[in-house]
Amino acid sequence: MNSILEVKNVVKQFGDYKALNDVSFTIPEGSIYGLLGPNGAGKTTLIRIINQITMPDSGEVFLDGKKLSPSDIQHIGYMPEERGLYKTMKVGEQCLYLAQLKGLSKEDAKKQLKYWFEKLEIEGWWNKKIQELSKGMAQKIQFVVTVLHKPKLLILDEPFSGFDPVNANLIKDEIIELNKQGTSIIFSTHRMESVEEMCDYIALIHKSNKLIEGKLVDVKKEYRTNTFEVGIISPNVEGLMYDLTQKFKVGQTNFKSLNDDIKLDVQLGEHHSNDLLSILTKNGQVTHFLEKIPSVNDIFIQTVSNK
Amino acid sequence: MKTLSLIIKREFIAKVRNKSFIVMTFLSPLLFVGIAVFVGFLASMDKDEATQIAIHDEAGLFKNEFKNDKNTHYIDISFMTFETAKDTASNNYDGLLYIPKVDSIQQLASKVEYISEDSPSIDFITDVEHIVDSTLTSDKLKILGFDAKKIEEATVNSDLKLSKFSGEETVRGINEIKLIIGGVFGYLIMMFIVIYGNFVMRSVIEEKTNRIIEIIISSVKPFQLMMGKIIGNSLAGILQFAIWAIVGGILFFIFSYFLGMQMGASSPTDMVANAETTGFAANIPLYINELKSLPIATLLISFIIYFIGGYFLYSSFYAAIGAAVDSETDSQQFLLPIILPLVLGVYIGFFTVLNDPHGTIATVFSIFPLTSPIVMLMRIPFGVPLWQLILSIVILFATFLFVVWFAAKIYRVGILMYGKKPTWKELYKWLKY
């Protein structure tokens, strides 16, 4: 598979502080890539290096197989976490200006703007000043400005902050549509549910180092504990517990259920899930049986607090 | 290049459309001319009321020596006793000049007294002393047996003629005129730097507080953005200056026409008359010659060169400061070291250059890059050796390149630092990022 972006051994130091320590990763073309990490981990520095806002002390970045060059800015769309527009400038003029800075001709920029303004149903805003718009409205403009020049790579830092649920969904759909059309997307966020929902790949950066990288399913496989959630209605609880504890590690748990059942966490260890099932069916009526898959949130917290 | 021109255009339009800019552009000349006319009006009124000075001359020596003029009236109240005279003077007049009766003239010299509520002006004191001196001197000469008339005949009043080695005659007071001409140019540069440098700084701070900066510099180089800002704002400034000059000129003409003060016509000659009091009329052709021989071309070309060099040098500083701070209030501590050399330049220009246009201090500061745009322009009308001019310009532009490099580094780091006020030490650290 082709990679749209390759970061190789990037090091960045600010005075005595090392912001990035030999970080490498590869973003496959057409993927949605989640860049995770606690505050101050070095995500923003990394993103700024990809955008050529700051230069790395050592290491290299390749876009589409070629070493990153200043003309590549037209292939990258970047929405920073700290968002802003010129408050006193009119929406239309501002979009045209920013698009032209990205290398679009005035005519192309106008065409693209028309398309997006119609799509998001904001045609009436052209002559308004940003300061007359609400925060959510300004965010929409911000999104349009980011994707206007049809970048190959879209970098979104906390893209949903500031949107109400309706608009967040709208933007999410736009992002997914862009991805389907072939745009690769880097997603930097703290909202784990959107990572869970949208990302194919993730990388986790903590204290200037990359700790995890890979396909989301692979990472999850690596972090699975072979634990099953079990719900059972049993006439002989004592017998059941005795049978279970002979083979497995068992704990109490809680989940939503309509039945008045016993709720257990069972760690399989070496054994097969069928072994567990046969014990259960022998001792009662199974109402719930589910492998506990580690959430991105769990993985995040586990990795960050271990180090 | 295309991006740079885009940025320049945006900065220019953003500045020019700004409401306060528009108001300032059209209101300032109105205010300026209004104040000038008002001051002129006051000055012409001021002379109506003369100061009333009572004289109590017990010695009887000064009866006719104090002559009334349009500023001062003298009233002789020597017939009263000293006490009554004092009361009368304090109630009715501005002051009392008391000349006591003493044995010898020598003693009198230090006994003359002026009594008043307000302290008198230096001019007045000098005048009175001058009259007392000359009266007593001539009295004493008489006592000693000299013929006062003959002495007066023997007194010589010299009038030093000035000329150049090339044979041209020159005139006195021309130095002041030259300084004023150079001074106007130098002062213009300083004003421009302070006003438009501040605009550059504000525009940088605005982008920082708007948080748009990160989006912009993911598309353009910080250096391009900085230069675009500096150039765009300067173009807006030049436009404003041009409008001021035109509107100001028109208003001045209209005002002076309606008020019948003819200030426009009379003020240049007033200036010359103040600078040179004797033999002015006879010297008019000489003045004109002298003004014609001023290096006008050099002055104008240098003005443009120093204007560009000085403005770019200083606005790079302003841009760096804007990038380093989060709000205008935080900028004060960094602004002081920038304003200082500008003010110093103006002071040196007006005091040192007038005294000795080619002295060490004037020469050094006209070459030192932070003051040269001001001081050198004031020196040029006096004739500056070409090597000094070239050296000064070369140093100015070398410094300018260095400062732009330095400011761009601070700018690059500073625009992405939010929420804290950096110290000088931190700024130094940024240079190494």
Side-chain angles (χ1 to χ4, degrees):
Chain A
M1 189 169 18
N2 282 336
S3 66
I4 183 76
L5 188 85
E6 208 180 340
V7 175
K8 269 188 183 164
N9 308 102
V10 164
V11 176
K12 179 74 194 178
Q13 192 135 3
F14 293 113
D16 300 331
Y17 174 70
K18 210 166 212 176
L20 289 172
N21 182 16
D22 198 19
V23 170
S24 307
F25 59 87
T26 308
I27 297 176
E29 195 170 354
S31 64
I32 300 187
Y33 198 96
L35 190 60
L36 315 179
N39 294 327
K43 281 174 298 174
T44 306
T45 308
L46 187 62
I47 289 174
R48 282 179 182 167
I49 285 173
I50 298 170
N51 275 300
Q52 303 176 76
I53 292 172
T54 23
M55 294 298 137
D57 296 339
S58 67
E60 285 170 327
V61 181
F62 295 89
L63 184 78
D64 221 357
K66 289 185 291 281
K67 210 171 165 212
L68 208 58
S69 74
S71 65
D72 283 330
I73 51 155
Q74 51 184 306
H75 301 305
I76 300 179
Y78 172 39
M79 182 151 86
E81 186 181 3
E82 296 277 11
R83 260 158 251 172
L85 296 162
Y86 291 110
K87 287 202 170 60
T88 52
M89 217 172 161
K90 284 179 181 159
V91 170
E93 278 174 12
Q94 179 144 227
C95 290
L96 278 179
Y97 171 63
L98 293 171
Q100 280 175 282
L101 284 188
K102 279 284 187 190
L104 246 62
S105 73
K106 206 170 181 179
E107 291 71 38
D108 285 348
K110 267 189 188 155
K111 230 183 278 167
Q112 280 297 309
L113 275 172
K114 194 163 175 277
Y115 166 79
W116 278 104
F117 273 48
E118 274 170 14
K119 191 159 192 193
L120 297 177
E121 298 171 352
I122 53 175
E123 296 105 313
W125 296 2
W126 188 271
N127 275 322
K128 283 197 172 143
K129 284 180 180 172
I130 293 292
Q131 59 194 6
E132 298 166 28
L133 302 181
S134 74
K135 197 181 170 201
M137 289 157 102
Q139 298 274 38
K140 269 191 185 177
I141 304 290
Q142 197 100 47
F143 179 77
V144 170
V145 165
T146 314
V147 299
L148 202 60
H149 56 291
K150 294 186 180 164
K152 288 190 218 166
L153 177 67
L154 203 53
I155 303 175
L156 307 170
D157 202 346
E158 292 294 353
F160 302 120
S161 71
F163 281 115
D164 60 58
V166 176
N167 279 321
N169 239 337
L170 187 88
I171 295 299
K172 195 180 84 189
D173 291 345
E174 294 300 337
I175 293 172
I176 288 170
E177 201 186 316
L178 281 170
N179 179 244
K180 275 187 187 143
Q181 289 165 8
T183 312
S184 312
I185 292 161
I186 299 180
F187 221 166
S188 168
T189 181
H190 289 130
R191 292 189 21 175
M192 295 306 160
E193 69 276 14
S194 45
V195 175
E196 203 88 58
E197 195 182 338
M198 296 173 73
C199 293
D200 319 317
Y201 292 81
I202 60 162
L204 195 144
I205 297 177
H206 181 45
K207 289 190 179 158
S208 320
N209 288 288
K210 183 194 77 186
L211 298 183
I212 302 174
E213 184 199 359
K215 242 184 161 153
L216 187 57
V217 266
D218 295 341
V219 173
K220 288 198 169 189
K221 269 183 198 157
E222 205 182 302
Y223 276 78
R224 86 204 285 187
T225 49
N226 249 355
T227 306
F228 281 75
E229 248 173 28
V230 169
I232 185 167
I233 302 172
S234 170
N236 177 15
V237 180
E238 268 173 34
L240 169 74
M241 291 310 279
Y242 178 78
D243 284 354
L244 284 176
T245 44
Q246 288 297 90
K247 274 190 168 172
F248 313 108
K249 243 173 129 180
V250 182
Q252 291 283 335
T253 188
N254 213 351
F255 49 82
K256 281 199 179 111
S257 154
L258 299 175
N259 302 305
D260 185 19
D261 48 9
I262 303 166
K263 298 180 179 71
L264 298 171
D265 248 356
V266 184
Q267 216 169 314
L268 290 186
E270 322 276 271
H271 302 277
H272 202 264
S273 54
N274 280 352
D275 299 341
L276 173 60
L277 264 179
S278 64
I279 295 175
L280 291 174
T281 44
K282 208 171 67 190
N283 286 297
Q285 186 196 345
V286 179
T287 54
H288 181 98
F289 190 80
L290 183 75
E291 180 175 1
K292 270 191 123 169
I293 300 170
S295 67
V296 179
N297 201 30
D298 296 336
I299 296 171
F300 184 99
I301 291 170
Q302 195 186 330
T303 320
V304 168
S305 47
N306 274 353
K307 286 275 165 171
Chain B
M1 237 14 235
K2 196 181 146 249
T3 6
L4 185 63
S5 70
L6 272 173
I7 298 169
I8 293 173
K9 214 169 101 190
R10 196 209 82 84
E11 290 294 330
F12 177 78
I13 291 174
K15 186 82 241 162
V16 171
R17 274 205 201 143
N18 189 300
K19 280 208 189 70
S20 65
F21 181 86
I22 298 172
V23 170
M24 275 295 287
T25 306
F26 291 98
L27 208 61
S28 298
L30 207 67
L31 271 176
F32 188 75
V33 173
I35 288 170
V37 170
F38 185 63
V39 168
F41 184 62
L42 282 187
S44 68
M45 272 178 46
D46 176 78
K47 309 232 157 104
D48 292 351
E49 193 132 319
T51 329
Q52 309 269 341
I53 311 277
I55 299 178
H56 188 73
D57 182 8
E58 287 177 357
L61 288 169
F62 296 93
K63 281 266 152 62
N64 300 313
E65 300 300 332
F66 288 99
K67 305 234 159 51
N68 293 343
D69 61 23
K70 64 179 174 170
N71 287 329
T72 336
H73 282 191
Y74 295 101
I75 300 102
D76 187 6
I77 49 169
S78 309
F79 55 86
M80 301 180 184
T81 62
F82 177 61
E83 289 307 321
T84 359
K86 212 171 160 186
D87 283 347
T88 319
S90 82
N91 289 331
N92 302 321
Y93 304 118
D94 293 308
L96 175 68
L97 193 64
Y98 172 56
I99 301 138
K101 197 173 173 68
V102 286
D103 297 338
S104 74
I105 287 170
Q106 197 62 52
Q107 276 179 341
L108 192 57
S110 56
K111 285 275 164 59
V112 177
E113 203 176 335
Y114 179 70
I115 308 159
S116 71
E117 197 65 43
D118 313 317
S119 30
S121 72
I122 302 229
D123 280 351
F124 173 76
I125 294 174
T126 325
D127 278 354
V128 169
E129 279 176 351
H130 180 71
I131 292 169
V132 172
D133 285 355
S134 62
T135 313
L136 292 184
T137 307
S138 74
D139 281 358
K140 207 157 182 198
L141 285 172
K142 232 181 259 173
I143 291 167
L144 291 173
F146 293 100
D147 186 342
K149 249 209 176 128
K150 279 196 174 147
I151 287 169
E152 204 170 299
E153 274 171 25
T155 308
V156 177
N157 227 337
S158 66
D159 184 9
L160 197 60
K161 281 234 183 307
L162 306 172
S163 69
K164 289 185 183 169
F165 281 117
S166 53
E168 290 168 76
E169 265 189 274
T170 61
V171 274
R172 226 179 292 178
I174 196 74
N175 274 8
E176 281 85 350
I177 300 173
K178 283 176 172 176
L179 184 72
I180 286 167
I181 292 170
V184 165
F185 283 116
Y187 201 74
L188 263 182
I189 288 186
M190 190 199 88
M191 290 298 291
F192 198 90
I193 287 173
V194 172
I195 298 176
Y196 298 96
N198 244 305
F199 281 166
V200 171
M201 187 180 79
R202 230 175 281 162
S203 152
V204 174
I205 293 175
E206 189 205 342
E207 273 179 3
K208 231 184 132 178
T209 44
N210 272 354
R211 299 288 195 258
I212 193 175
I213 189 70
E214 202 158 345
I215 292 170
I216 304 278
I217 57 165
S218 67
S219 311
V220 303
K221 290 215 177 69
F223 182 74
Q224 280 178 322
L225 182 60
M226 191 177 94
M227 288 315 284
K229 266 186 190 309
I230 292 175
I231 296 171
N233 275 293
S234 73
L235 290 179
I238 288 168
L239 177 74
Q240 192 173 45
F241 257 59
I243 293 176
W244 279 351
I246 294 167
V247 175
I250 294 171
L251 282 178
F252 209 80
F253 179 76
I254 294 172
F255 266 97
S256 37
Y257 181 79
F258 276 109
L259 290 175
M261 291 164 72
Q262 293 166 323
M263 285 174 66
S266 68
S267 61
T269 38
D270 272 354
M271 229 157 59
V272 177
N274 285 338
E276 171 67 1
T277 43
T278 52
F280 170 67
N283 282 333
I284 286 180
L286 283 181
Y287 277 104
I288 291 171
N289 259 348
E290 190 71 32
L291 289 177
K292 268 188 192 158
S293 74
L294 278 180
I296 300 285
T298 321
L299 195 61
L300 286 180
I301 293 169
S302 314
F303 173 68
I304 294 168
I305 293 175
Y306 280 102
F307 176 83
I308 294 171
Y311 171 72
F312 276 66
L313 177 70
Y314 274 98
S315 42
S316 309
F317 277 129
Y318 273 103
I321 292 172
V325 300
D326 264 345
S327 69
E328 239 182 299
T329 33
D330 289 348
S331 65
Q332 298 310 320
Q333 63 157 329
F334 297 113
L335 277 181
L336 188 67
I338 291 185
I339 305 285
L340 225 52
L342 284 175
V343 175
L344 187 72
V346 170
Y347 276 111
I348 286 176
F350 278 118
F351 294 116
T352 319
V353 173
L354 182 61
N355 266 336
D356 187 2
H358 305 300
T360 318
I361 295 180
T363 309
V364 166
F365 280 97
S366 66
I367 292 172
F368 179 62
L370 291 181
T371 50
S372 65
I374 298 164
V375 180
M376 187 55 102
L377 276 175
M378 294 187 179
R379 277 187 69 202
I380 286 175
F382 298 97
V384 176
L386 191 63
W387 69 266
Q388 284 184 10
L389 201 61
I390 291 172
L391 178 68
S392 157
I393 289 174
V394 167
I395 291 181
L396 178 67
F397 277 83
T399 317
F400 155 63
L401 288 180
F402 170 74
V403 169
V404 167
W405 168 84
F406 156 91
K409 284 207 129 186
I410 300 267
Y411 184 83
R412 204 166 50 92
V413 181
I415 42 177
L416 294 171
M417 296 273 178
Y418 304 122
K420 65 172 189 174
K421 190 175 158 190
T423 60
W424 285 103
K425 210 172 134 199
E426 277 170 305
L427 285 191
Y428 174 69
K429 259 166 112 191
W430 290 0
L431 287 180
K432 293 188 286 188
Y433 279 4

